[in-house]
């Protein structure tokens, strides 16, 4: 038996001016199920709330409708009010007669009629509202961090320093990521090896961090607080427990293939470590190029290994980890030069990308910081940088700005001028975007002190002319055509998400945009969370960004993980789907339609089962259910029908 | 016929269109009072049966509002609704129940003005169209 109380708020004059609140309360007091109806000037004020509490107790109400502003304003307020006197908060409903009635209509008679109908429909809904209890789920206070670049390193250290265990998964044999490839970092010109390697060592030695290098996430199941992660540990053919990292095997290996860490500028061996400061500093055998693994002979590394660590029989293994939160920090790649036909489609050796230039300028790189061009090893005297290659080009490639190019081009041109003082650097740009702290000053310094020549315009074509690269461009500020015979050209290629991120996003059930950048829950207000609960985003995987922004976001994601772990149980909104097993025919429509994989079909009973901790409560399955077995808690079909009837009758 | 005031039942998704309708209120944009809003969590939860029910019970129009494409709070509920409505429209056409009485509009939280404009246009359109023919059957 319903004992409903209706409380009509005047909201000062906001409602009372257009809706006859007195009349509204009078009409509603006779409505079936209603035992009490009143009006008051400010329901949300303390006296207003006290009145609701008193009447709930006095009239023994089992449901409350407050006719007031939008539920987004005060639903929580009034639900807490009724909960404080022992009524289930889900037995309190808001009838929105301000934003969607009194504020948008002027005629008092019409607005009052509409308000009456809105309140009646809300009463009909309330009559069938269930007393719901938020679900509580336990939390595994361990985090998984995917990606061991600077974002993953920072997030792992922050979480581990807060006292929670971290599993850090990195697909390469060492953590460090792209940052370790860089020459210097703008705008302070710190050497990344100097500032990042101590952090890498900390990760390697941290008692709370379990580092799984040369591993990839294979499968994720579960939900926020309770994920189960299957991780593939790729066969390295080296027993890392035995390996002492002496490097003799690398020395003896006869195979030479282009080194990915050095952006294919020089060769590496088939057994190799990424770079000298690698963490963990253990080699792996590249099975695609190892002579023994491809042709069945050689074994030079095995013969020379004093620790007997080489194991050609090693297979991929799998480990399972239980974690409560996942930080995705998979980073970026550069767009492939081959995609840009007008700039040589990657065929000219002396047309290189930004990361290759970083390696050439890096004191620990293949040319020890003095750029020698890849074709013949000459030191380039005329060097052209082209910005926005592939970025800000919606017609052909990517519409977005890659954010870091303006700054790294100044830096590279500066470093180049420092080591080749008689050289000339030209930069073709569309706009210069140096919007960080100390960035603009850095640019001005490059232009004034290092005499970098900035030309505003695009380059239409690059082609080989003897041992030079001919650059045809335009200077739109002077309106002239420009032709430069360059020794080397650096393309600031668009920043794109790292390879494989779309498949990973699918495995994790998180969303990525058209380009593969992971989508944040809200671009402004929830920038480090994914829409799927329990997933957090850090670094360039979410969008192009520079190191300070990456570190800030990683720390933000880590603190979100910490605040999740600071709770002992998680409460989950109970407005979710539930199945009436008596009615369910097991067709599986709901399983297909669920965007969260929250429903499974029990193969034995042939009934759908909702995982209440994963269900986000959208109701799509309920609309897809042909039998009516799937119902949305407190948005049931019958409730909607009754509301429609209250309006249309 | 001149004083025909259509009754329009609206299903507004909680995250975008309902909030957009609230924004219209906050901005005090006036629009015809014919809409009767029902808040649902997602436009993707709108069962075609709701629309049929509303039409069979005599509503002159049904409005469904969802998040803009790509912005659905629940990943892709708005697309699910769009597909269902497309199918439903073709069925309604066959039944002679007026597929043009169903209006779908993407309205984001900030788009109070678009919500209000849609309400004005829809109300005028349904007025032009006349009452839901189903109402005649009751009087036969």
């Amino acid at each position: 038996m319903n004992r409903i109380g209706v409380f009509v708020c005047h909201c000062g004059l906001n409602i009372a001016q257009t809706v006859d609140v007195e009349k509204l309360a009078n009409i509603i007091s006779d409505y079936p199920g209603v035992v009490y109806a009143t009006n008051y000037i400010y329901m949300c004020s303390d006296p207003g709330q006290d009145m609701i509490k008193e009447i709930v107790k006095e009239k023994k109400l089992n449901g409350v409708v407050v006719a007031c502003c939008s539920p987004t304003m005060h639903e929580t307020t009034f639900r807490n009010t009724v909960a404080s006197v022992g009524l289930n908060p889900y037995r309190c409903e808001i009838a929105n007669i301000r934003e969607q009635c009194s504020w948008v209509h002027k005629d008092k008679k019409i607005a009052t009629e509409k308000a009456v109908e809105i309140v009646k429909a809300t009463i009909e809904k309330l009559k069938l509202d269930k007393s719901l209890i938020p679900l509580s789920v336990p939390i595994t206070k361990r985090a998984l961090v995917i990606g061991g670049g600077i974002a993953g390193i920072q997030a792992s250290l922050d979480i581990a320093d807060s006292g929670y265990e971290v599993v850090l998964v990195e697909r390469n044999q060492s953590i460090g990521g792209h940052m370790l490839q860089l020459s210097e970092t703008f705008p302070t010109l710190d050497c990344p090896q100097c500032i990042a390697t101590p952090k890498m060592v900390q990760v390697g030695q941290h008692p709370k961090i379990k580092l799984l290098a040369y591993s990839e996430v294979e499968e994720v199941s579960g939900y926020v607080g309770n994920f189960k992660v299957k991780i593939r540990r790729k066969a390295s053919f080296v027993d890392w427990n035995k390996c002492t990292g002496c490097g003799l095997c690398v020395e003896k290996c006869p195979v030479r293939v282009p080194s990915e860490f050095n952006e294919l500028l020089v060769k590496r061996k088939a057994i190799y470590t990424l770079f000298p400061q690698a963490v963990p500093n253990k080699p792996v055998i590249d099975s695609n190029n190892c002579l023994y693994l491809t042709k069945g002979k050689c074994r030079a590394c095995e013969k020379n290994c004093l620790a007997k660590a080489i194991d050609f029989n090693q297979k991929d293994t799998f480990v399972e980890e239980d974690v409560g939160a996942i930080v995705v920090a998979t980073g970026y790649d550069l767009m492939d030069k081959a995609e840009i036909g007008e700039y040589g489609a990657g065929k000219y050796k002396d047309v290189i990308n930004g990361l290759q230039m970083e390696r050439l300028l890096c004191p620990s790189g293949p040319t020890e910081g003095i750029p020698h061009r890849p074709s013949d090893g000459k030191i380039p005297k005329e060097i052209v940088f082209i910005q926005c290659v592939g970025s800000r080009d919606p017609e052909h490639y990517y519409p977005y700005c890659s954010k870091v190019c303006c700054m790294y081009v100044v830096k590279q041109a500066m470093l180049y001028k420092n080591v080749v003082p008689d050289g000339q650097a030209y930069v073709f740009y569309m706009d210069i975007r140096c919007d960080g702290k100390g960035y603009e000053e850095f640019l001005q310094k490059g232009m004034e002190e290092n005499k970098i020549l900035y030309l505003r315009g695009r380059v239409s074509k690059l082609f080989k002319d003897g041992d030079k690269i001919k650059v045809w461009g335009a200077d739109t500020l002077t309106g002239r055509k420009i032709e430069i015979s360059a020794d080397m050209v650096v393309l600031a290629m668009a920043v794109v998400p790292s390879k494989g991120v779309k498949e990973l996003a699918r495995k994790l059930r998180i969303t990525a945009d058209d380009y593969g950048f992971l989508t944040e829950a809200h671009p402004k207000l929830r920038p480090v969370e994914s829409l799927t609960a329990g997933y957090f985003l850090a670094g360039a995987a979410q969008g192009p960004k520079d190191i300070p922004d990456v570190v800030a976001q990683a720390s933000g994601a880590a603190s979100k993980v910490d605040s999740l772990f600071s709770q002992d149980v998680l409460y989950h909104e109970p407005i979710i789907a539930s199945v009436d097993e008596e009615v369910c025919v097991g067709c599986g429509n709901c399983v297909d339609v669920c965007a969260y994989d929250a429903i499974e079909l029990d193969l034995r009973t042939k009934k759908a089962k909702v995982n209440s901790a994963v269900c986000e409560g959208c109701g799509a399955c309920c609309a897809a259910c042909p039998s009516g077995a799937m119902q949305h808690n407190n948005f049931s079909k019958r409730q909607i029908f009754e509301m429609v009837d209250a309006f249309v009758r | 016929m001149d004083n025909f005031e259509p009754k329009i039942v609206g299903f507004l998704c909680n995250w975008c269109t309902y909030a957009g309708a609230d924004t219209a209120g906050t901005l005090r944009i006036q629009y015809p009072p014919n809409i009767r809003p029902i808040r649902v969590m997602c436009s993707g939860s709108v069962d075609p049966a709701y629309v049929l029910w509303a039409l069979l019970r005599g509503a002159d129009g049904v409005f469904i509002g969802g998040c803009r494409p790509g912005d659905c709070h629940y990943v892709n509920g708005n697309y699910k609704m769009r597909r269902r409505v497309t199918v439903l429209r073709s069925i309604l056409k066959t039944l002679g129940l007026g597929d043009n009485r169903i209006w779908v509009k993407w309205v984001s939280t900030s788009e109070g003005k678009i919500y209000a404009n849609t309400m004005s246009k829809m109300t005028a359109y349904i007025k032009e169209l006349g009452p839901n023919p189903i109402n005649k059957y009751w009087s036969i």
Side-chain angles (χ1 to χ4, degrees):
Chain A
M1 190 56 207
N2 276 295
R3 297 186 58 80
I4 292 169
V6 179
F7 300 85
V8 182
C9 179
H10 303 191
C11 194
L13 280 176
N14 281 310
I15 293 170
Q17 191 164 263
T18 340
V19 172
D20 188 338
V21 283
E22 198 81 41
K23 191 173 162 197
L24 172 59
N26 273 337
I27 295 174
I28 291 300
S29 59
D30 294 333
Y31 196 72
V34 174
V35 291
Y36 188 86
T38 187
N39 63 83
Y40 184 68
I41 183 158
Y42 287 114
M43 274 304 166
C44 58
S45 67
D46 278 346
Q49 291 191 48
D50 288 342
M51 179 177 78
I52 296 176
K53 288 182 202 169
E54 280 308 308
I55 290 165
V56 168
K57 282 190 281 186
E58 188 193 315
K59 302 279 178 192
K60 297 191 171 51
L61 298 183
N62 62 11
V64 166
V65 169
V66 187
C68 57
C69 50
S70 168
T72 49
M73 300 288 293
H74 280 306
E75 188 176 72
T76 320
T77 314
F78 292 117
R79 284 193 167 167
N80 289 340
T81 308
V82 302
S84 73
V85 285
L87 194 61
N88 184 290
Y90 293 92
R91 294 282 303 164
C92 169
E93 288 283 352
I94 305 295
N96 181 352
I97 59 164
R98 191 179 77 171
E99 277 85 347
Q100 299 194 23
C101 186
S102 76
W103 273 354
V104 288
H105 308 310
K106 284 212 172 78
D107 186 309
K108 199 162 185 172
K109 186 172 161 283
I110 291 174
T112 308
E113 276 171 23
K114 181 169 175 177
V116 169
E117 286 191 25
I118 291 175
V119 175
K120 283 181 179 171
T122 312
I123 294 169
E124 289 305 329
K125 175 175 191 296
L126 174 66
K127 283 181 181 170
L128 294 162
D129 271 345
K130 289 188 244 174
S131 296
L132 300 174
I133 295 163
L135 304 152
S136 62
V137 269
I139 309 178
T140 310
K141 296 185 180 182
R142 263 177 118 225
L144 170 75
V145 176
I146 307 175
I150 186 61
I153 290 174
Q154 184 67 37
S156 302
L157 286 173
D158 282 2
I159 299 168
D161 285 344
S162 314
Y164 304 111
E165 267 181 59
V166 176
V167 180
L168 172 58
V169 174
E170 164 60 47
R171 69 174 162 195
N172 284 327
Q173 61 265 52
S174 167
I175 55 170
H178 284 306
M179 184 174 171
L180 265 286
Q181 293 180 287
L182 306 184
S183 51
E184 316 269 322
T185 53
F186 59 75
T188 48
L189 299 183
D190 298 290
C191 116
Q193 290 75 18
C194 320
I195 56 176
T197 42
K199 278 185 180 287
M200 291 164 57
V201 172
Q202 260 180 294
V203 168
Q205 295 176 346
H206 205 294
K208 293 273 183 189
I209 299 179
K210 182 172 177 185
L211 172 57
L212 300 179
Y214 213 49
S215 303
E216 285 183 41
V217 171
E218 189 75 11
E219 229 176 76
V220 177
S221 59
Y223 47 88
V224 56
N226 299 277
F227 292 108
K228 249 191 175 33
V229 188
K230 192 171 163 195
I231 298 160
R232 176 193 290 269
R233 306 219 60 190
K234 297 184 282 187
S236 64
F237 306 104
V238 178
D239 185 338
W240 285 5
N241 295 325
K242 289 188 190 160
C243 173
T244 58
C246 71
L248 202 58
C249 51
V250 179
E251 212 174 283
K252 297 291 179 190
C253 176
V255 181
R256 290 170 66 80
V257 285
S259 152
E260 295 85 358
F261 183 76
N262 282 311
E263 293 293 328
L264 314 180
L265 291 168
V266 288
K267 302 268 165 85
R268 62 159 170 85
K269 301 293 183 68
I271 181 165
Y272 68 111
T273 57
L274 267 195
F275 51 94
Q277 308 92 332
V279 172
N281 196 2
K282 308 281 172 156
V284 300
I285 295 176
D286 165 7
S287 58
N288 295 327
N289 291 301
C290 169
L291 279 183
Y292 178 68
L293 290 171
T294 52
K295 299 202 175 97
K297 51 186 171 199
C298 178
R299 305 182 93 146
C301 48
E302 195 181 27
K303 284 172 211 149
N304 287 288
C305 182
L306 301 174
K308 304 267 172 263
I310 308 288
D311 175 9
F312 283 112
N313 296 322
Q314 216 178 64
K315 295 264 170 340
D316 289 5
T317 52
F318 295 92
V319 285
E320 282 217 354
E321 299 285 350
D322 292 321
V323 295
I326 299 179
V327 178
V328 191
T330 46
Y332 72 97
D333 275 329
L334 290 187
M335 178 186 166
D336 192 353
K337 281 182 295 189
E339 289 179 52
I340 311 270
E342 61 270 35
Y343 296 167
K347 280 185 295 196
Y348 307 141
K349 277 190 171 172
D350 293 331
V351 178
I352 61 173
N353 70 23
L355 275 174
Q356 289 179 312
M357 189 61 178
E358 291 293 337
R359 292 312 297 152
L360 292 181
L361 289 167
C362 181
S364 58
T367 56
E368 290 170 345
I370 302 161
H372 293 263
R373 61 184 200 173
S375 61
D376 54 8
K378 267 198 229 158
I379 295 177
K381 296 290 179 195
E382 303 254 316
I383 184 164
V384 171
F385 293 87
I386 307 174
Q387 295 195 172
C388 302
V389 183
S391 322
R392 302 184 62 199
D393 190 353
E395 280 82 24
H396 305 99
Y397 308 105
Y398 301 106
Y400 55 82
C401 166
S402 292
K403 188 141 188 213
V404 289
C405 323
C406 287
M407 284 304 289
Y408 81 62
V409 165
V410 190
K411 176 196 72 181
Q412 291 181 346
M414 253 185 190
L415 294 174
Y416 165 75
K417 288 286 284 186
N418 288 347
V419 290
V420 189
D422 59 336
Q424 180 57 53
Y426 305 88
V427 178
F428 281 94
Y429 70 99
M430 284 163 77
D431 297 287
I432 300 285
R433 296 177 168 177
C434 297
D435 58 350
K437 193 174 173 181
Y439 287 12
E440 178 62 23
E441 297 91 317
F442 187 74
L443 168 74
Q444 293 304 332
K445 191 173 158 225
M447 286 184 181
E448 284 159 21
E449 290 179 19
N450 298 88
K451 303 276 183 280
I452 306 166
L453 191 60
Y454 271 81
L455 299 162
R456 187 184 186 279
R458 302 289 287 167
V459 170
S460 62
K461 194 174 174 182
L462 294 181
F463 58 94
K464 212 157 163 57
D465 180 27
D467 69 339
K468 300 265 185 185
I469 300 287
K470 197 69 108 186
V471 180
W472 277 1
D475 180 354
T476 54
L477 296 181
T478 58
R480 279 187 308 189
K481 279 202 272 185
I482 301 228
E483 188 179 311
I484 299 170
S485 276
D487 296 310
M488 193 161 88
V489 176
V490 180
L491 305 179
M493 302 300 304
V495 168
V496 296
S498 66
K499 227 176 253 147
V501 75
K502 280 197 174 173
E503 293 80 76
L504 180 71
R506 220 165 292 136
K507 277 182 204 164
L508 304 181
R509 289 161 292 144
I510 59 177
T511 50
D513 65 16
D514 292 349
Y515 315 106
F517 289 116
L518 303 175
T519 326
E520 62 283 356
H522 189 283
K524 287 159 211 79
L525 303 178
R526 292 173 69 195
V528 301
E529 294 156 77
S530 165
L531 210 51
T532 315
Y535 288 97
F536 303 89
L537 312 176
Q542 180 254 345
K545 46 178 81 65
D546 57 16
I547 297 169
D549 284 2
V550 165
V551 172
Q553 197 189 15
S555 287
S559 72
K560 280 278 167 194
V561 172
D562 289 348
S563 70
L564 177 72
F565 287 175
S566 67
Q567 305 163 72
D568 289 321
V569 282
L570 283 177
Y571 289 101
H572 192 72
E573 182 67 41
I575 308 269
I576 54 169
S578 55
V579 195
D580 184 342
E581 289 204 358
E582 302 272 294
V583 182
C584 177
V585 294
C587 69
N589 273 1
C590 50
V591 180
D592 297 336
V593 97
C594 180
Y596 302 93
D597 283 339
I599 310 172
E600 52 181 14
L601 204 58
D602 190 319
L603 292 174
R604 197 176 46 84
T605 57
K606 291 267 190 295
K607 304 281 176 195
K609 224 174 95 195
V610 179
N611 185 337
S612 46
V614 184
C615 177
E616 292 279 334
C618 68
C621 55
C622 311
C625 179
S627 65
M630 194 63 88
Q631 291 282 354
H632 202 181
N633 282 348
N634 288 0
F635 284 94
S636 68
K637 286 183 187 167
R638 170 123 182 256
Q639 279 176 299
I640 304 283
F641 290 156
E642 297 284 0
M643 288 181 85
V644 170
D645 274 0
F647 282 143
V648 181
R649 249 188 323 230
Chain B
M1 276 308 273
D2 285 343
N3 50 15
F4 163 57
E5 283 298 335
K7 209 148 239 185
I8 300 169
V9 174
F11 297 100
L12 318 186
C13 95
N14 181 50
W15 305 96
C16 291
T17 310
Y18 194 85
D22 279 352
T23 305
T26 314
L27 297 171
R28 313 293 200 279
I29 309 173
Q30 305 293 306
Y31 56 82
N34 307 61
I35 182 79
R36 294 290 180 268
I38 295 178
R39 181 168 68 115
V40 291
M41 291 313 282
C42 175
S43 59
S45 75
V46 175
D47 192 323
Y50 299 170
V51 181
L52 279 172
W53 182 270
L55 288 174
L56 290 172
R57 301 298 261 191
D60 302 300
V62 175
F63 171 74
I64 305 173
C67 301
R68 284 178 157 271
D71 287 351
C72 178
H73 184 85
Y74 299 109
V75 188
N76 51 18
N78 48 357
Y79 296 138
K80 290 169 189 156
M81 177 269 289
R82 184 168 61 181
R83 266 176 257 149
R84 287 184 190 128
V85 169
T86 309
V87 174
L88 180 66
R89 277 209 181 106
S90 67
I91 296 167
L92 286 176
K93 208 169 186 170
T94 321
L95 296 178
L97 273 175
D99 55 303
N100 46 3
R101 292 181 186 273
I102 312 170
W103 280 44
V104 170
K105 184 83 183 166
W106 313 127
V107 182
S108 82
T109 308
S110 59
E111 295 172 332
K113 201 165 178 162
I114 291 182
Y115 180 78
N117 283 345
T118 310
M119 288 309 119
S120 304
K121 276 191 204 151
M122 184 171 178
T123 309
Y125 181 84
I126 304 280
K127 267 190 188 174
E128 188 77 18
L129 210 59
N132 183 348
I134 203 90
N135 290 323
K136 277 188 302 199
Y137 303 159
W138 299 118
S139 50
I140 292 170

